[in-house]
Structure formats: structure tokens, C-alpha cells
């Protein structure tokens, strides 16, 4: 990461989970309860859904503009999901964690794998926590997806096929949160963030001036 080393890094909280699990709802509620948390606004080539605003939920880009940013290495990770491209801008994450702020990233399992594989370098590595958000059951996930009413039948079928492939990835994550009761799931995510802030690995220096090393 390019920015100066802080005394204490923030946490980049990666939240993944299949479509229909309620990820956007959980993330919105986490952000409401932690207004200081920065939401990493991703880029996508998909069209905005009703109610979505450019620069708020996503930066909506043309395929050519997305490709230009890939070439310019602006993305920390990028992937194709449900036939559209999605990418996390480096500046949406690095600038914040380097200043000690926490960042929330809603990204799919491919993106999480890229970050885990070291896409952000070792400094970002120390800041990332991975949470997999799962449904209470497959049937409930399908019900939520249909209730949303924003996708065509074909898109829903594709999302369900992808979900079957994605669910086994839960084992790659340190944390699994089941979104059965919304507030419980939100409390779990907030607890993970809180615990992460206490990790010694977040600190670059001793919190007590003059005391640098453990006595041996
Ligand atoms: P949706 O189109 O429903 O908002 O999101 C579809 C999927 O794309 C979700 O699983 C979401 O987590 C994922 N996604 C959103 N932004 C990014 C991103 O920047 N990178 C990756 N890899 N996936 C993303």
C-alpha cells in the first residue's frame, strides 16, 4: 500500500455470500449502526436496479471504462459475477485502512480469494477479515430471491445455480454468520469488527511510548 504506515490499521471486512442471502440488507444495517464505517463502493458493468444511484451502491461503468481501469491497475480485485463485471477500487480500501478507519466490502467469493492470495500486498493482508454470510436454508434463500422481484426468471435461475456452487466456499472464511434473524446477524458482524480492532497485528508500534519489546 502506498500511504504512510499508521500506528494502528483499520479493518477491511470482506462480506461474501450468495445472492438472496440478504447481504445488502445486513450490510446496510451494519452501516447504519456504525456510521463511521466506510462502504467500499465497487465498480460494475451491470445496469442500475430501480432505486440505485451511481456512486452510492456502485459506480456503474461501461464495459470499455471498466477495462480501462483494469489496465490502469485501479482494482484490488475484479471478477465476473452473473455475467457482469465487478471490481473493488484500491483507493476505496487502502486510503481508509491506512488512516485507521474500518471498511466494509461486499464482494463475491472469487474476489475474496484474490485478496486472500495477496492481491493487496502484505500490509493490506494484516487488515482483512473474511465473513461468509449464509442462509438458514436453501429454500429460504430462493424465497428471498423471488420476493425481491427485481430479477427476471432467467436471472434468478442463474443466481440459484451460482449459489449452489458458492455455498461450499464457507469453509474458506474465518467467520460464518447465518442470516436467519436480521438483527442477530448484524450483531454478529459488528462483534467480528469489534474483536478485529483489538488484534495486536493491527498495530505497527507499541501503544505505550518507551515500551517497545516484550521482556525475555
Ligand atoms: P449485485 O449485482 O446483486 O449487487 O451483486 C452481485 C454479486 O457481486 C454479489 O455477490 C456481490 O457480493 C458481488 N460483488 C459486488 N461488488 C463486487 C466487487 O467489487 N468484486 C467482486 N468480486 N464481487 C462483487
Amino acid at each position: 500500500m502506498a500511504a504512510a504506515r499508521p500506528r494502528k490499521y483499520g479493518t477491511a471486512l470482506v462480506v461474501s455470500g450468495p445472492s438472496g442471502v440478504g447481504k445488502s440488507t445486513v450490510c446496510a444495517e451494519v452501516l447504519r449502526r456504525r456510521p463511521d464505517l466506510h462502504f467500499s463502493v465497487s465498480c460494475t458493468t451491470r445496469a442500475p436496479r430501480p432505486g440505485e444511484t451511481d456512486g452510492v451502491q456502485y459506480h456503474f461503468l461501461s464495459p470499455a471504462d471498466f477495462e480501462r481501469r483494469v489496465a490502469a491497475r485501479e482494482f484490488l480485485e475484479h471478477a465476473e459475477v452473473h455475467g457482469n463485471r465487478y471490481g473493488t477500487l484500491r483507493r476505496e480500501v487502502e486510503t481508509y485502512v491506512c488512516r485507521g478507519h474500518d471498511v466494509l466490502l461486499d464482494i463475491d467469493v472469487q474476489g475474496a480469494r484474490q485478496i486472500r492470495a495477496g492481491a493487496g500486498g502484505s500490509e493490506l493482508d494484516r487488515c482483512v477479515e473474511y465473513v461468509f454470510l449464509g442462509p438458514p436454508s436453501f429454500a429460504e434463500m430462493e424465497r428471498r430471491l423471488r420476493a425481491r422481484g427485481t430479477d427476471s426468471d432467467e436471472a434468478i435461475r442463474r443466481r440459484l445455480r451460482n449459489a449452489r456452487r458458492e455455498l461450499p466456499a464457507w469453509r474458506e472464511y474465518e467467520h460464518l454468520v447465518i442470516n436467519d434473524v436480521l438483527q442477530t446477524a448484524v450483531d454478529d458482524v459488528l462483534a467480528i469488527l469489534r474483536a478485529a480492532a483489538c488484534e495486536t497485528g493491527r498495530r505497527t508500534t507499541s501503544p505505550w511510548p518507551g515500551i517497545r519489546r516484550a521482556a525475555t
Side-chain angles (χ1 to χ4, degrees):
M1 286 193 285
R5 275 161 72 89
R7 293 172 69 85
K8 188 180 169 199
Y9 285 95
T11 299
L13 190 77
V14 168
V15 179
S16 305
S19 268
V21 79
K23 224 173 352 162
S24 320
T25 313
V26 169
C27 287
E29 187 59 12
V30 166
L31 288 162
R32 196 185 65 78
R33 302 250 310 261
R34 276 278 313 269
D36 62 300
L37 194 59
H38 174 70
F39 179 67
S40 164
V41 180
S42 295
C43 295
T44 182
T45 59
R46 86 152 160 75
R49 296 192 183 116
E52 286 183 332
T53 310
D54 187 37
V56 178
Q57 289 82 11
Y58 287 103
H59 300 289
F60 295 99
L61 304 183
S62 67
D65 196 7
F66 193 99
E67 191 48 44
R68 190 184 58 71
R69 288 168 194 255
V70 171
R73 302 179 52 81
E74 287 185 31
F75 294 123
L76 189 57
E77 61 73 35
H78 60 92
E80 191 174 314
V81 189
H82 314 312
N84 293 299
R85 299 184 82 182
Y86 293 82
T88 304
L89 291 166
R90 286 181 188 281
R91 65 172 151 84
E92 287 282 337
V93 183
E94 293 180 353
T95 333
Y96 291 88
V97 290
C98 283
R99 290 186 187 145
H101 298 299
D102 295 343
V103 180
L104 184 65
L105 293 88
D106 170 349
I107 62 177
D108 86 320
V109 296
Q110 306 171 70
R113 281 181 191 138
Q114 288 175 41
I115 296 177
R116 193 187 292 280
S122 58
E123 274 185 288
L124 185 66
D125 218 33
R126 70 200 285 167
C127 306
V128 193
E129 291 288 328
Y130 300 87
V131 177
F132 191 90
L133 194 65
S137 68
F138 197 84
E140 173 60 15
M141 189 173 60
E142 181 167 359
R143 196 196 62 74
R144 288 180 191 173
L145 211 46
R146 293 195 186 281
R148 193 157 76 176
T150 49
D151 294 297
S152 65
D153 247 25
E154 165 55 26
I156 290 177
R157 275 198 298 276
R158 184 163 52 193
R159 282 171 189 267
L160 287 171
R161 270 199 309 276
N162 287 345
R164 275 196 194 281
R165 271 207 307 272
E166 266 178 41
L167 280 174
W170 70 272
R171 284 193 183 276
E172 298 169 27
Y173 290 68
E174 285 97 342
H175 307 283
L176 172 66
V177 171
I178 300 288
N179 184 22
D180 189 358
V181 176
L182 174 67
Q183 287 308 331
T184 310
V186 170
D187 284 344
D188 287 350
V189 173
L190 291 171
I192 292 164
L193 265 173
R194 183 108 187 237
C198 300
E199 283 172 11
T200 51
R202 288 284 178 285
R203 293 185 183 272
T204 53
T205 56
S206 161
W208 308 285
I211 310 242
R212 294 214 169 83
R213 289 178 195 204
T216 47

